Every structure is written in structure tokens, then in C-alpha cells.
């Protein structure tokens, strides 16, 4: 049963400091766009809407509810989607992809808060309506927070734990007053919360798997569902928000279909045949060699390269520190030294990749090559003693091998570090003091990951370490990662220019044993928790940059991830029928702003 928080009367808020309604809010500084802005810079405001698009994804789905634990990995794409857009459900505010972290009006026309961000008030757009024509109300907003608290999955389920008061203000507004668990990012996160229709949801059955098309306020309705195979959306001609500035030039198709495939090779074959209209490609080898089919030759398929201005992120082998073997920092460090990046990059990828040295490489938030300044050192305090001195002074760099796969100098250093961790080579095997071999399993989910695992396995064998490889199907992979049942996996940590609460799921002590969290390495370190807090409480841009850099240094010193590689471009192959804006925003290409050029 829902634990209801009763709406508070407007008079209860009269004692609060008055705040002026804002058209947008930024994590740091002010919104770049003025109150009278007409549209985002990276859209075509004059696009002719119509036509259709077909996306392709690897996986399956058995649920249309993206907010519950049972469907965390098997929800139909597009319902609430960072790539294709939130087609059915909407949030209070919408993020601009041309700014690090700025939100503008969507369901909420304006926002109010105070300098200390002790509260946030969302003033709903009076025009906002559900697809059945009923208005979106403050009661819907409060119902959504309560429902997701009681029936939703992380992170939606945790949001009301940050609130001391929640209540309706006037006819169209709802205010959240925060408790001491909240931070300066909390109002921003609340602005991105989904809003659900109170009149169309039974709370008792909300957490059950369902393929019944739900009611939303978004630009599309569900037209057809083939469980596990495809889902088709059709534009709602009565969509309430098509003319508000943050939605101009978006949602341009009459019909959107998402098709599901068991393997990426099958998906690509469908793209070659024209069954899929767009194919984002993350493999340099594939991008260079796989596009020799007729549609490319005739110009029916176009290869686009986009240049975002994003940090590198971190892709690599993740050590599960819940396993006793990987609780030892020296073991993790020694294993990281063994991987021969130069050999793998040359042999597998024709030298296409750059080695990743930082979670925020290619941005001012990165610690790579940058010595800690006085602001950072003061922020770190005694934690600086837990950081590798070379990482602290900006001189640290991952070893560069001779590319042979057996660089003796690097392997010698790795063996020495493993010795400090309690292991030595005896009889050709790396063993601990009791003679137990150093052995573990690398779990992979596709052929590309398997190739990397084999390269790592090859290097490990040179120093007597036995690594087995197990490639599992998508459902087993998701099940095992949800329950942290693995030794080593390959994962990508996406790094934005505005890191914040998502770091709690990745690295905080609280997330370590929470099923379904993104705590892949299982870190439980109070120093990491402290530095995350510094990021979340930073007020000035200077303090924020120092906080992220110091945090980057501590994560690197922990050797939780064996860093692999990154590319600084985005590659997308598309049907010639599709068009996209010329302007590439900070975060790269935006599929919801593309359109069907065949529409006359």
C-alpha cells in the first residue's frame, strides 16, 4: 500500500523566501539560453514532420514499464529512453545537450528555488495533458514520486528519502523541501523524474510485468507490440507540447519502430538490407571494413562522423572486489600492468584507438597530466596519502610496451607488484604463499568482448596466471551482473561534463550490495564516499573541477578498472532518407532531432 504524503496548503510555504520563476536551471552558473529562446541550437526548427524510422537493438523485452526492477534490462526501448527520446513518458524539465547540465521547461513551465537549493518548486504548464486529454496535475507529480518510492526501481525509488515536505502550491505547482540528505544536484535530478498519470495506474499492480500500452503525456502512443521482437510507436496528433521551445524540431516521425535482434551481426545484416535505418558503430575495424555492400556504393547508405566535446569515459576490465582475490589493490594493479595495449591495438584494431588514462580524459575535469593544485590538496586533506604520488603530481602514465605481447620490462614490473600483493611464480604458475594458483574467470557478452578477453588471457599466461573466459547470452549476462556474480567483466563508465549522483551508483559504499546497482567493482571506501560528496556539494565551477579531478585520482589509484581505450568520434551509418541538423551539440548527435527527408 502506498504511504501517502498529504499535500500541504499554500499557507504552509508563506514563510519561505520568495523566489522568482525561472525558465531554466543550471547545475553551475546560469542557463545559456534566455527566457525568450525559441528552440535548442541543435535542431532544425523548420523541419517537415512525417515519415518513419526503424531502430535496431540487441536484446529482448517482456515489459512496457521501464521503472520497475523486473524490467530493468528487458523494457521496450523508447518508453523512457536516453537515445531515442522519452516517447511515451515525460519529465518535468528537459536537458539541453549543448550545455554541461542545464534543464529547461517541459511539463513544468517554470521552476523556483533558493540560493542554497533547500527546496524546488515546479510550476506546471497549464497546457500539459495526458494523451487521453486530462490535464497533468500536481497530484500526478506527487503520486509519481510516492508510487516510484514504493514500487519503483533504483534510482527512482530513493528520491523521496531526500524530501522533508512535499505539497501542492496553488492550482498548478508542487514544491519539494529537502532534508539534510539532499545535495545541490537534487533539484536537478527531480526535474528529470518521470511523471505518471494517477488516474490511469493501479498502484497494486504497478510492479508487475505488463505489455498493456500505458497512458503517457509524451509525443507518441504505442501502436503495436510483438513481445521480444518489436515495438511500434505512432505520433499523437494531439500532443500538447509540440510547440514549446524545448520540443521544437524534435519528435519528427509519424512512426517509430524498434526491432530486437539476438546478435549484433544479425542486426547489421538487417541494416544492410534496409530493414533498419540507422546503425551506430563503435568498432574501428568494423567501421573501416564492413561497409562494402551495394547500398553504400549507390549512396543509399551514408557514413557520418560526429565530433562531440565529451570526456573519454572509462572502458575496461572491471575487477569485482567482492571476490577475496580482488580485494587486494596490489593484485589489481599488477594485473592491470600485464595487459599489452599496444599489441592489442595494433593486432585487433589496426592502431585505431587511444589508451584511456583517466575517467574524464580530454576534458578539464581530468587529472591526467595535471598536478594537484592547492585547492585540490586542501579538498583532499589526509586522503591525498591514499593516492599514488605519480597520479597526484600528474606524472603517472600507463606503461607503453614494445607491442610484442611479451615486453619483458613491463612484465617484470607487473610480477614485482604482484609479489607485493603476496604472489610469486613457482613451477611456471603464479601462486600465493599457500601454493594456490592465481586464477579467475572473465565473463563476456559478445564476440568483440571475447577478443579483448583472449588478448588479456594471452598476456596473463606469460606470467603463469590462468584466466578462463565465459561468453554468455544477454539474459544470463544481465542476471549475473545484477547479482554481481562474476570475477571480471568488461564495462563502460560514461563520463559527462557534470558528474553527480550517478557516481553514487557506480562507486559509493551504499551501492555495493544493492542488487541492480551499477556498483560493478563493489567499492566500499569511505574516502571515495567523501570525494563524491565534494562533487555533489561544490558551488563554484573551480571547486567542482577540483572535486572531480581529486576523485579521478583516487579511482585511478584504486586500480578497480584496467583502462582500455576510447575514440573521440561518433560513427553512425544511416539511410540516405534520414536527415540531421548540421550543428553537433556538446554531447554529440541527437537522434530525436533527426527526420525523414522523403516527406514532401
Amino acid at each position: 500500500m502506498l504511504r501517502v504524503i498529504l499535500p500541504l496548503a499554500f499557507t504552509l510555504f508563506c514563510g519561505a523566501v520568495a523566489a522568482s520563476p525561472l525558465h531554466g536551471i543550471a547545475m553551475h552558473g546560469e542557463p545559456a539560453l534566455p527566457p525568450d529562446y525559441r528552440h535548442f541550437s541543435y535542431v532544425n526548427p523548420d523541419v517537415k514532420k512525417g515519415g518513419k524510422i526503424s531502430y535496431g537493438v540487441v536484446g529482448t523485452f517482456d515489459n512496457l514499464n521501464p521503472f520497475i526492477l523486473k524490467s530493468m534490462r528487458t523494457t521496450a526501448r523508447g518508453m523512457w529512453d536516453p537515445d531515442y527520446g522519452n516517447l511515451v513518458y515525460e519529465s518535468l524539465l528537459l536537458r539541453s545537450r549543448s550545455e554541461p547540465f542545464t534543464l529547461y521547461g517541459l511539463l513544468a513551465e517554470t521552476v523556483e528555488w533558493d540560493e542554497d537549493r533547500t527546496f524546488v518548486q515546479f510550476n506546471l504548464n497549464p497546457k500539459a495533458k495526458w494523451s487521453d486529454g486530462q490535464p497533468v496535475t500536481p497530484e500526478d507529480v506527487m503520486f509519481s514520486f510516492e508510487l516510484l518510492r514504493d514500487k519503483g526501481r533504483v534510482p527512482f525509488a530513493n528520491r523521496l528519502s531526500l524530501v522533508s515536505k512535499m505539497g501542492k502550491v496553488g492550482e498548478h505547482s508542487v514544491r519539494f523541501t529537502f532534508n539534510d540528505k539532499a545535495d545541490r544536484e537534487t533539484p536537478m535530478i527531480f526535474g528529470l523524474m518521470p511523471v505518471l498519470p494517477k488516474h490511469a495506474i493501479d498502484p497494486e499492480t504497478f510492479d508487475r510485468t505488463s505489455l498493456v500500452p500505458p497512458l503517457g503525456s509524451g509525443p507518441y502512443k504505442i501502436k503495436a507490440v510483438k513481445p521480444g521482437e518489436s515495438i511500434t510507436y505512432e505520433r499523437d496528433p494531439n500532443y500538447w507540447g509540440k510547440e514549446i521551445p524545448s520540443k521544437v524540431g524534435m519528435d519528427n516521425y509519424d512512426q517509430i519502430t524498434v526491432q530486437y535482434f539476438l546478435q549484433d551481426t544479425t542486426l547489421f545484416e538487417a541494416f544492410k538490407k534496409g530493414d533498419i535505418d540507422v546503425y551506430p558503430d563503435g568498432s574501428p575495424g568494423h567501421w573501416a571494413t564492413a561497409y562494402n555492400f551495394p547500398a553504400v556504393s549507390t549512396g543509399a547508405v551514408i557514413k557520418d562522423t560526429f565530433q562531440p566535446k565529451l570526456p573519454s569515459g572509462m572502458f575496461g576490465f572491471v575487477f569485482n572486489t567482492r571476490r577475496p582475490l580482488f580485494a587486494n589493490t596490489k593484485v589489481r594493479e599488477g594485473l592491470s600492468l600485464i595487459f599489452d595495449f599496444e599489441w592489442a591495438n595494433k593486432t585487433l584494431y589496426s592502431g585505431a584507438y587511444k589508451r584511456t588514462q583517466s575517467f574524464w580524459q580530454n576534458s578539464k575535469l581530468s587529472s591526467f597530466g595535471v598536478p594537484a593544485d592547492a585547492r585540490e590538496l586542501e579538498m583532499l586533506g589526509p586522503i591525498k596519502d591514499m593516492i599514488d604520488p605519480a597520479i597526484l603530481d600528474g606524472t603517472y602514465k600507463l606503461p607503453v610496451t614494445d607491442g610484442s605481447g611479451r615486453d619483458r620490462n613491463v612484465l617484470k614490473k607487473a610480477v614485482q607488484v604482484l609479489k607485493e600483493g603476496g604472489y610469486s611464480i613457482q613451477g611456471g604458475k603464479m601462486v600465493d604463499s599457500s601454493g594456490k594458483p592465481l586464477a579467475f574467470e572473465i565473463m563476456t557478452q559478445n564476440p568483440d568482448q571475447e577478443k579483448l578477453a583472449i588478448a588479456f588471457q594471452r598476456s596473463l599466461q606469460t606470467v603463469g596466471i590462468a584466466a578462463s573466459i565465459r561468453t554468455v547470452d544477454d539474459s544470463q549476462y544481465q542476471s549475473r551482473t545484477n547479482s554481481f556474480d562474476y570475477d571480471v567483466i568488461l564495462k563502460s563508465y560514461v563520463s559527462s561534463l557534470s558528474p553527480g549522483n550517478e557516481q553514487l551508483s557506480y562507486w559509493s559504499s551504499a551501492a555495493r550490495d544493492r542488487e541492480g546497482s551499477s556498483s560493478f567493482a563493489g567499492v566500499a571506501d569511505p574516502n571515495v564516499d567523501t570525494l563524491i560528496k565534494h562533487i555533489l556539494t561544490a558551488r563554484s565551477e573551480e571547486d567542482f573541477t577540483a572535486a572531480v579531478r581529486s576523485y579521478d585520482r583516487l579511482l585511478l589509484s584504486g586500480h578497480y578498472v584496467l583502462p582500455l581505450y576510447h575514440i573521440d568520434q561518433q560513427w553512425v551509418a544511416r539511410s540516405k532518407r534520414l536527415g540531421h541538423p548540421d550543428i553537433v551539440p556538446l554531447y554529440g548527435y541527437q537522434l530525436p532531432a533527426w527526420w525523414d527527408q522523403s516527406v514532401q
Side-chain angles (χ1 to χ4, degrees), residues 200-356:
I201 291 178
D202 179 359
E204 294 302 317
T205 61
F206 181 75
D207 57 354
R208 300 176 191 173
T209 297
S210 174
L211 290 172
V212 176
L215 180 75
S217 64
Y220 290 87
K221 297 180 180 180
I222 294 174
K223 179 180 180 180
V225 176
K226 295 181 180 179
E229 296 182 22
S230 68
I231 180 169
T232 300
Y233 302 88
E234 62 180 352
R235 183 203 307 284
D236 180 357
N238 299 315
Y239 173 52
W240 73 273
K242 54 191 172 186
E243 294 181 357
I244 66 172
S246 63
K247 296 295 279 184
V248 168
M250 311 281 271
D251 314 313
N252 298 320
Y253 308 102
D254 283 344
Q255 180 174 294
I256 297 174
T257 300
V258 183
Q259 297 187 48
Y260 287 75
F261 299 86
L262 295 179
Q263 296 179 331
D264 188 68
T265 53
T266 312
L267 192 163
F268 188 65
E269 287 300 315
F271 173 72
K272 289 167 64 174
K273 291 190 297 182
D275 295 335
I276 299 299
D277 294 317
V278 61
Y279 184 83
D281 199 326
S283 169
H286 191 268
W287 185 250
T289 63
Y291 294 85
N292 55 358
F293 51 94
V296 177
S297 303
T298 63
V301 164
I302 295 175
K303 296 172 69 180
D304 285 325
T305 298
F306 300 95
Q307 195 78 47
K309 302 177 182 65
L310 290 173
S312 62
M314 177 64 74
F315 172 60
F317 291 99
V318 181
F319 303 111
N320 186 359
T321 63
R322 301 171 185 85
R323 301 288 203 248
L325 170 63
F326 298 122
N328 189 322
T329 305
K330 286 298 180 181
V331 170
R332 302 193 300 268
E333 181 181 359
L335 293 174
S336 297
L337 292 172
I338 293 171
F339 183 80
D340 193 329
F341 169 76
E342 282 66 36
W343 180 89
N345 194 32
K346 175 183 65 177
T347 306
L348 302 179
Y349 308 115
S350 302
Y353 284 117
K354 297 178 181 178
R355 188 75 192 266
T356 303

Side-chain angles (χ1 to χ4, degrees), residues 177-194:
T177 302
F178 301 118
N179 58 34
D180 57 7
K181 296 179 184 178
D183 54 57
R184 293 185 64 77
E185 190 182 24
T186 302
M188 308 290 291
I189 298 301
F190 275 43
L192 294 175
M193 277 285 283

Side-chain angles (χ1 to χ4, degrees), residues 39 64 70 166 264 305 397 460 516 524 527 552 576 591:
H39 55 81
L64 297 180
K70 289 180 181 179
M166 175 178 70
D264 188 68
T305 298
K397 187 177 182 180
L460 292 166
N527 292 325
D552 188 30
K576 181 183 179 181
L591 290 174

Side-chain angles (χ1 to χ4, degrees), residues 7 124 130 135-146 166 168 170-174 195-199:
L124 298 181
W130 302 106
V136 178
T137 67
E139 286 79 7
D140 289 320
V141 177
M142 294 185 288
F143 168 80
S144 301
F145 275 81
E146 291 166 346
M166 175 178 70
K168 181 178 179 180
E171 287 296 315
H172 299 292
S173 302
V174 60
V195 179
L196 310 176
K198 182 177 181 179
H199 68 282

Side-chain angles (χ1 to χ4, degrees), residues 441-451 453-454 468-474 476-477 480:
E441 179 187 89
I442 304 172
M443 185 174 72
T444 60
Q445 64 180 140
N446 55 51
D448 285 339
Q449 288 191 2
E450 191 175 287
K451 281 197 302 185
I454 291 172
S468 60
I469 300 170
R470 177 174 294 186
T471 300
V472 299
D473 62 30
D474 185 68
Q476 186 178 357
Y477 184 87
R480 287 184 62 179

